[in-house]
Amino acid sequence: MKLTIGAVCGPGGSRTNRTGAWRSLRPRLKAEACNGCSLCSLFCPDGCVFPEGEVFSIDYTYCKGCGICAKECPSGAIEMVPEEK
Amino acid sequence: MECSRNGAQWAVVEGSRAVARAVALCRPGVISAYPITPQTHIVEDLAQMVADGELEAEFLRVDSEFSAASVVYGAAAAGVRSYTASSSQGLLLMTEVLYNMAGTRLPVVIGAANRTLSAPISIQPDQQDTISLRDSGIIQLYVENPQEAHDTHIQAFRLAEDPQVLLPVMVCMDGWLVTHTFEPVCLLTQDQVDAFLPPYRPVHCLDPASPLTYGSFADDDKLMEFRYMVAKAQEEALRKIEETAETFRQAFGRYHGGLIDSYWVEDARIIILAMGSVVGTIREGIDLLREEGKQVGLIKVRSYRPFPAQRIRNLVRQAEVLAVLDNNISLGAYGALCCDVAHSLINDPFRPAILPCIVGLGGREITVNSVRNIVQRAELVARERPSVVEPWWVDLRPELI
């Protein structure tokens, strides 16, 4: 990818910034507890939570681990666990 | 000086008026400012022109300099030629936006009426305010008199908007000494400026039909490259500033220097290097000293950023002493100009000795006699060749301390 003058970029340009590396807590979805309400997907500020089949999938390439999805989930189906490598 | 082509006319005007007239001739779409002394007359004049229907532009009077800079940032991002002006504390309040403007490569032109910084508070001129912005990526041109202020504003838009440059350009002029002095100025006409300055064609601009992100994020894997790109654009500006000054000369017959201007340097043993309105006084001083047979010359630094290291190097090699006049002080170290000059010469075995001078802080008058004293001191340095020369505070009043 070539850099643009003044870092001005078109739609989707933020995909070059793989913000998943910022994460210290990782959201983990417990599929059996999910009621499919999609609040997690609606509230994710980075569009990293999206529907997949009956439940939801999380894109760990970009998820910063902010925990909003876990906070919003009414059925406690998402827990934040320490990121370990 | 020439003023006869295509209806250009001499007028006795205040420096600020000459600047406002130049800006209006450049047909800006947006002007935004918050008034501050001694910049005030520039935007007052522009506001009046807009109110009178002489100038078709949006004039936005805002609540602070931070807002003024933000407005012109936004306007330039939307593809509109934009202008603001400020001084001193106002420039400091703009600072955060100005760094962003340069990093985002928005070709805004900023008039800076130099005034010292608080504390203590003062409205007198020195270049501390604009020097504090030297690292921002903005191009800085320092002018000598109202005529150069008029002409340089017109050059500034052409330079800023050059697709190879795309950087904000700040035209720095000593408050009062340039902004409030009445002098005969050859004011250009609309036709002349239209022929010199094409309409602004942005490389990219905000448009709902084709959305863009301005102010995006760059992590450690890219930021250094963005800085490098600005550094390269500054390097490109070295060439473009001279090219623009030359094109201007061909079009209008006036030349105030490109990156630098020089006076009597060819055989000079002592060269004084300075920028801003003090250059006029130095010219006067050199005329007198030359009559006395002293081989003294002058280099005026017109472009401080980008810094014309090569040009300076080429001119000073035959001199014995280079007296560098700093109208600012990097407290705890030296004058900023002297640091840049010293860096330019550091590996040159034929470099002259340097006499660093701190002059004119807070409007302390720099007279022909000050110039004479500087030359005397430089002669001493030439004779004794000390390995260290501490900055000399010219015309300091030690009896007050």
Side-chain angles (χ1 to χ4, degrees), chain A residues 1-19 21-22 64, chain B residues 103-105 163 166 203-204 210-219 221-222 225-226 229:
Chain A
M1 182 201 74
K2 285 281 186 193
L3 301 183
T4 54
I5 287 180
V8 173
C9 58
S14 61
R15 258 177 295 191
T16 61
N17 292 313
R18 295 168 176 259
T19 49
W22 299 9
K64 298 166 184 159
Chain B
T104 312
R105 310 290 298 276
L166 281 182
V203 170
H204 40 229
S210 154
L212 290 173
T213 294
Y214 279 67
S216 61
F217 170 82
D219 220 337
D221 60 337
K222 301 183 199 74
E225 285 68 26
F226 279 115
M229 288 164 80

Short mmCIF file of all heavy atoms in Angstrom, two decimals, chain A residues 1-19 21-22 64, chain B residues 103-105 163 166 203-204 210-219 221-222 225-226 229:
data_model
loop_
_atom_site.label_atom_id
_atom_site.label_comp_id
_atom_site.label_asym_id
_atom_site.label_seq_id
_atom_site.Cartn_x
_atom_site.Cartn_y
_atom_site.Cartn_z
N MET A 1 0.84 -1.21 0.00
CA MET A 1 0.00 0.00 0.00
C MET A 1 0.87 1.25 0.00
O MET A 1 1.74 1.39 0.83
CB MET A 1 -0.86 0.00 1.27
CG MET A 1 -1.80 1.17 1.33
SD MET A 1 -2.35 1.53 3.00
CE MET A 1 -0.90 2.28 3.71
N LYS A 2 0.62 2.16 -0.94
CA LYS A 2 1.35 3.43 -0.98
C LYS A 2 0.63 4.44 -0.08
O LYS A 2 -0.60 4.49 -0.07
CB LYS A 2 1.40 3.96 -2.41
CG LYS A 2 2.39 3.21 -3.27
CD LYS A 2 3.81 3.71 -2.98
CE LYS A 2 4.81 3.07 -3.93
NZ LYS A 2 6.19 3.29 -3.46
N LEU A 3 1.40 5.24 0.61
CA LEU A 3 0.80 6.25 1.47
C LEU A 3 0.26 7.40 0.62
O LEU A 3 0.83 7.72 -0.41
CB LEU A 3 1.83 6.78 2.47
CG LEU A 3 2.46 5.74 3.39
CD1 LEU A 3 3.41 6.40 4.37
CD2 LEU A 3 1.39 4.97 4.15
N THR A 4 -0.82 8.02 1.10
CA THR A 4 -1.42 9.13 0.36
C THR A 4 -0.93 10.46 0.94
O THR A 4 -0.53 10.53 2.11
CB THR A 4 -2.95 9.08 0.50
OG1 THR A 4 -3.27 9.04 1.89
CG2 THR A 4 -3.53 7.87 -0.19
N ILE A 5 -0.98 11.49 0.13
CA ILE A 5 -0.57 12.82 0.60
C ILE A 5 -1.47 13.25 1.76
O ILE A 5 -2.69 13.21 1.66
CB ILE A 5 -0.63 13.84 -0.55
CG1 ILE A 5 0.53 13.57 -1.50
CG2 ILE A 5 -0.59 15.27 -0.03
CD1 ILE A 5 0.61 14.47 -2.68
N GLY A 6 -0.85 13.63 2.87
CA GLY A 6 -1.60 14.12 4.02
C GLY A 6 -2.41 13.06 4.73
O GLY A 6 -3.28 13.39 5.53
N ALA A 7 -2.15 11.81 4.45
CA ALA A 7 -2.89 10.70 5.07
C ALA A 7 -4.39 10.79 4.81
O ALA A 7 -5.21 10.31 5.58
CB ALA A 7 -2.62 10.62 6.58
N VAL A 8 -4.75 11.44 3.71
CA VAL A 8 -6.16 11.52 3.31
C VAL A 8 -6.49 10.21 2.60
O VAL A 8 -5.78 9.79 1.70
CB VAL A 8 -6.39 12.71 2.36
CG1 VAL A 8 -7.81 12.71 1.81
CG2 VAL A 8 -6.10 14.02 3.08
N CYS A 9 -7.55 9.55 3.06
CA CYS A 9 -7.84 8.27 2.42
C CYS A 9 -9.32 8.06 2.17
O CYS A 9 -10.16 8.72 2.78
CB CYS A 9 -7.26 7.13 3.26
SG CYS A 9 -7.88 7.09 4.93
N GLY A 10 -9.61 7.18 1.25
CA GLY A 10 -10.98 6.89 0.85
C GLY A 10 -11.66 5.93 1.81
O GLY A 10 -11.06 5.48 2.79
N PRO A 11 -12.95 5.62 1.54
CA PRO A 11 -13.69 4.73 2.42
C PRO A 11 -12.97 3.38 2.58
O PRO A 11 -12.40 2.86 1.62
CB PRO A 11 -15.03 4.54 1.71
CG PRO A 11 -15.14 5.73 0.79
CD PRO A 11 -13.75 6.09 0.41
N GLY A 12 -12.97 2.86 3.79
CA GLY A 12 -12.34 1.57 4.03
C GLY A 12 -10.85 1.67 4.30
O GLY A 12 -10.19 0.66 4.58
N GLY A 13 -10.31 2.88 4.24
CA GLY A 13 -8.87 3.06 4.40
C GLY A 13 -8.35 2.65 5.77
O GLY A 13 -7.20 2.26 5.91
N SER A 14 -9.23 2.70 6.77
CA SER A 14 -8.76 2.37 8.12
C SER A 14 -8.45 0.88 8.26
O SER A 14 -7.86 0.46 9.25
CB SER A 14 -9.80 2.80 9.17
OG SER A 14 -11.00 2.13 8.94
N ARG A 15 -8.82 0.09 7.26
CA ARG A 15 -8.52 -1.34 7.32
C ARG A 15 -7.01 -1.63 7.30
O ARG A 15 -6.57 -2.70 7.68
CB ARG A 15 -9.21 -2.07 6.16
CG ARG A 15 -10.47 -2.79 6.65
CD ARG A 15 -11.20 -3.45 5.51
NE ARG A 15 -11.68 -2.43 4.57
CZ ARG A 15 -12.53 -2.68 3.58
NH1 ARG A 15 -12.95 -3.89 3.38
NH2 ARG A 15 -12.94 -1.71 2.80
N THR A 16 -6.24 -0.62 6.85
CA THR A 16 -4.79 -0.86 6.84
C THR A 16 -4.22 -0.82 8.26
O THR A 16 -3.11 -1.28 8.48
CB THR A 16 -4.04 0.19 5.99
OG1 THR A 16 -4.29 1.47 6.56
CG2 THR A 16 -4.49 0.17 4.55
N ASN A 17 -4.96 -0.24 9.18
CA ASN A 17 -4.49 -0.18 10.57
C ASN A 17 -5.05 -1.37 11.36
O ASN A 17 -6.21 -1.37 11.75
CB ASN A 17 -4.93 1.14 11.23
CG ASN A 17 -4.23 2.32 10.62
OD1 ASN A 17 -3.02 2.32 10.42
ND2 ASN A 17 -5.00 3.34 10.30
N ARG A 18 -4.22 -2.37 11.59
CA ARG A 18 -4.66 -3.59 12.26
C ARG A 18 -4.63 -3.37 13.77
O ARG A 18 -3.65 -3.69 14.44
CB ARG A 18 -3.79 -4.76 11.83
CG ARG A 18 -3.99 -5.01 10.35
CD ARG A 18 -2.99 -5.95 9.76
NE ARG A 18 -3.34 -6.18 8.37
CZ ARG A 18 -3.97 -7.28 7.94
NH1 ARG A 18 -4.25 -8.25 8.77
NH2 ARG A 18 -4.29 -7.39 6.67
N THR A 19 -5.74 -2.83 14.25
CA THR A 19 -5.78 -2.36 15.64
C THR A 19 -5.95 -3.48 16.66
O THR A 19 -5.96 -3.22 17.86
CB THR A 19 -6.92 -1.34 15.81
OG1 THR A 19 -8.11 -1.90 15.24
CG2 THR A 19 -6.60 -0.04 15.09
N ALA A 21 -3.88 -5.45 17.64
CA ALA A 21 -2.68 -5.54 18.47
C ALA A 21 -2.78 -4.69 19.73
O ALA A 21 -1.97 -4.84 20.65
CB ALA A 21 -1.46 -5.11 17.65
N TRP A 22 -3.75 -3.77 19.77
CA TRP A 22 -3.90 -2.90 20.95
C TRP A 22 -4.54 -3.65 22.13
O TRP A 22 -4.51 -3.17 23.25
CB TRP A 22 -4.82 -1.71 20.64
CG TRP A 22 -4.36 -0.80 19.55
CD1 TRP A 22 -3.33 -0.99 18.69
CD2 TRP A 22 -4.95 0.46 19.20
NE1 TRP A 22 -3.24 0.06 17.82
CE2 TRP A 22 -4.21 0.96 18.10
CE3 TRP A 22 -6.04 1.19 19.69
CZ2 TRP A 22 -4.52 2.18 17.50
CZ3 TRP A 22 -6.34 2.39 19.09
CH2 TRP A 22 -5.59 2.88 18.01
N LYS A 64 -10.30 -3.97 19.40
CA LYS A 64 -9.33 -3.37 20.33
C LYS A 64 -9.55 -3.85 21.76
O LYS A 64 -8.84 -3.42 22.67
CB LYS A 64 -9.44 -1.85 20.29
CG LYS A 64 -9.12 -1.24 18.94
CD LYS A 64 -9.59 0.22 18.90
CE LYS A 64 -9.37 0.80 17.51
NZ LYS A 64 -10.24 1.98 17.30
N GLY B 103 0.55 18.61 8.33
CA GLY B 103 0.55 17.16 8.19
C GLY B 103 -0.51 16.68 7.21
O GLY B 103 -0.33 15.69 6.52
N THR B 104 -1.63 17.40 7.15
CA THR B 104 -2.71 17.04 6.23
C THR B 104 -2.49 17.68 4.85
O THR B 104 -3.26 17.47 3.94
CB THR B 104 -4.07 17.45 6.84
OG1 THR B 104 -4.11 16.97 8.19
CG2 THR B 104 -5.24 16.83 6.12
N ARG B 105 -1.46 18.46 4.74
CA ARG B 105 -1.01 19.07 3.48
C ARG B 105 -2.06 20.01 2.89
O ARG B 105 -2.38 19.96 1.71
CB ARG B 105 -0.64 17.95 2.49
CG ARG B 105 0.31 16.90 3.07
CD ARG B 105 1.69 17.43 3.31
NE ARG B 105 2.31 17.86 2.09
CZ ARG B 105 2.95 17.03 1.27
NH1 ARG B 105 3.06 15.75 1.57
NH2 ARG B 105 3.50 17.48 0.16
N PRO B 163 1.15 21.42 -6.53
CA PRO B 163 0.93 20.01 -6.17
C PRO B 163 2.19 19.31 -5.65
O PRO B 163 2.10 18.32 -4.94
CB PRO B 163 0.47 19.37 -7.49
CG PRO B 163 0.03 20.50 -8.35
CD PRO B 163 0.79 21.71 -7.92
N LEU B 166 2.18 21.61 -1.60
CA LEU B 166 0.97 21.41 -0.77
C LEU B 166 1.27 21.53 0.73
O LEU B 166 1.11 20.57 1.48
CB LEU B 166 0.35 20.04 -1.06
CG LEU B 166 -0.49 19.94 -2.32
CD1 LEU B 166 -1.08 18.54 -2.44
CD2 LEU B 166 -1.62 20.96 -2.35
N VAL B 203 -5.73 18.77 -4.91
CA VAL B 203 -5.39 17.39 -5.29
C VAL B 203 -6.51 16.46 -4.85
O VAL B 203 -6.91 15.54 -5.55
CB VAL B 203 -4.04 16.98 -4.68
CG1 VAL B 203 -3.78 15.49 -4.84
CG2 VAL B 203 -2.91 17.78 -5.31
N HIS B 204 -7.01 16.69 -3.62
CA HIS B 204 -8.23 16.01 -3.20
C HIS B 204 -9.01 16.95 -2.30
O HIS B 204 -8.44 17.86 -1.70
CB HIS B 204 -7.96 14.67 -2.50
CG HIS B 204 -6.79 14.67 -1.57
ND1 HIS B 204 -5.80 13.71 -1.60
CD2 HIS B 204 -6.44 15.52 -0.59
CE1 HIS B 204 -4.90 13.98 -0.68
NE2 HIS B 204 -5.26 15.07 -0.05
N SER B 210 -17.90 11.77 -3.18
CA SER B 210 -16.74 10.90 -3.17
C SER B 210 -16.04 11.06 -1.81
O SER B 210 -15.10 11.83 -1.67
CB SER B 210 -15.84 11.30 -4.35
OG SER B 210 -14.53 10.97 -4.13
N PRO B 211 -16.55 10.36 -0.81
CA PRO B 211 -16.13 10.62 0.57
C PRO B 211 -14.65 10.30 0.83
O PRO B 211 -14.10 9.38 0.23
CB PRO B 211 -17.02 9.68 1.40
CG PRO B 211 -17.86 8.92 0.47
CD PRO B 211 -17.52 9.28 -0.93
N LEU B 212 -14.05 11.10 1.70
CA LEU B 212 -12.66 10.92 2.09
C LEU B 212 -12.52 11.10 3.59
O LEU B 212 -13.31 11.81 4.20
CB LEU B 212 -11.77 11.96 1.40
CG LEU B 212 -11.55 11.84 -0.10
CD1 LEU B 212 -10.79 13.07 -0.60
CD2 LEU B 212 -10.79 10.57 -0.45
N THR B 213 -11.51 10.50 4.15
CA THR B 213 -11.19 10.72 5.56
C THR B 213 -10.00 11.66 5.66
O THR B 213 -8.96 11.42 5.03
CB THR B 213 -10.83 9.39 6.25
OG1 THR B 213 -11.99 8.56 6.27
CG2 THR B 213 -10.35 9.62 7.68
N TYR B 214 -10.16 12.76 6.41
CA TYR B 214 -9.06 13.66 6.74
C TYR B 214 -8.72 13.43 8.20
O TYR B 214 -9.60 13.23 9.02
CB TYR B 214 -9.45 15.13 6.54
CG TYR B 214 -9.36 15.59 5.11
CD1 TYR B 214 -10.22 15.10 4.14
CD2 TYR B 214 -8.41 16.54 4.74
CE1 TYR B 214 -10.14 15.52 2.84
CE2 TYR B 214 -8.32 16.97 3.43
CZ TYR B 214 -9.19 16.47 2.48
OH TYR B 214 -9.10 16.89 1.18
N GLY B 215 -7.47 13.52 8.54
CA GLY B 215 -7.09 13.37 9.95
C GLY B 215 -7.09 11.91 10.36
O GLY B 215 -7.45 11.59 11.50
N SER B 216 -6.69 11.03 9.46
CA SER B 216 -6.73 9.61 9.80
C SER B 216 -5.53 9.22 10.66
O SER B 216 -4.63 10.01 10.89
CB SER B 216 -6.78 8.76 8.53
OG SER B 216 -5.63 9.00 7.76
N PHE B 217 -5.55 7.99 11.08
CA PHE B 217 -4.60 7.48 12.07
C PHE B 217 -3.42 6.82 11.36
O PHE B 217 -3.58 6.17 10.34
CB PHE B 217 -5.39 6.47 12.91
CG PHE B 217 -4.59 5.65 13.84
CD1 PHE B 217 -4.23 6.16 15.08
CD2 PHE B 217 -4.21 4.35 13.50
CE1 PHE B 217 -3.49 5.39 15.96
CE2 PHE B 217 -3.48 3.58 14.38
CZ PHE B 217 -3.12 4.10 15.61
N ALA B 218 -2.24 7.01 11.91
CA ALA B 218 -1.08 6.28 11.37
C ALA B 218 -0.26 5.77 12.54
O ALA B 218 0.12 6.54 13.42
CB ALA B 218 -0.22 7.19 10.50
N ASP B 219 -0.03 4.49 12.56
CA ASP B 219 0.70 3.89 13.69
C ASP B 219 2.20 3.90 13.43
O ASP B 219 2.67 4.48 12.45
CB ASP B 219 0.18 2.47 13.92
CG ASP B 219 0.07 2.16 15.41
OD1 ASP B 219 0.76 2.83 16.20
OD2 ASP B 219 -0.71 1.26 15.78
N ASP B 221 4.08 1.95 12.16
CA ASP B 221 4.54 1.39 10.89
C ASP B 221 4.46 2.39 9.74
O ASP B 221 4.93 2.10 8.64
CB ASP B 221 3.75 0.12 10.55
CG ASP B 221 2.26 0.38 10.43
OD1 ASP B 221 1.78 1.39 11.01
OD2 ASP B 221 1.56 -0.40 9.76
N LYS B 222 3.84 3.57 9.96
CA LYS B 222 3.66 4.52 8.86
C LYS B 222 3.99 5.97 9.19
O LYS B 222 4.31 6.75 8.30
CB LYS B 222 2.21 4.51 8.36
CG LYS B 222 1.70 3.19 7.85
CD LYS B 222 0.28 3.34 7.34
CE LYS B 222 -0.43 2.01 7.26
NZ LYS B 222 -0.79 1.51 8.62
N GLU B 225 7.09 7.66 7.81
CA GLU B 225 7.06 7.89 6.37
C GLU B 225 6.26 9.16 6.03
O GLU B 225 6.61 9.89 5.12
CB GLU B 225 6.48 6.68 5.64
CG GLU B 225 7.43 5.49 5.54
CD GLU B 225 7.74 4.82 6.88
OE1 GLU B 225 6.90 4.90 7.80
OE2 GLU B 225 8.83 4.25 7.02
N PHE B 226 5.18 9.39 6.80
CA PHE B 226 4.43 10.63 6.56
C PHE B 226 5.29 11.85 6.87
O PHE B 226 5.27 12.85 6.14
CB PHE B 226 3.14 10.65 7.40
CG PHE B 226 2.02 9.86 6.78
CD1 PHE B 226 1.52 8.72 7.40
CD2 PHE B 226 1.48 10.23 5.56
CE1 PHE B 226 0.49 7.98 6.82
CE2 PHE B 226 0.45 9.51 4.97
CZ PHE B 226 -0.04 8.37 5.61
N MET B 229 7.62 12.42 4.08
CA MET B 229 6.97 13.02 2.91
C MET B 229 6.87 14.54 3.06
O MET B 229 7.03 15.28 2.10
CB MET B 229 5.58 12.39 2.70
CG MET B 229 5.65 10.96 2.16
SD MET B 229 4.08 10.07 2.36
CE MET B 229 3.14 10.71 0.97
#
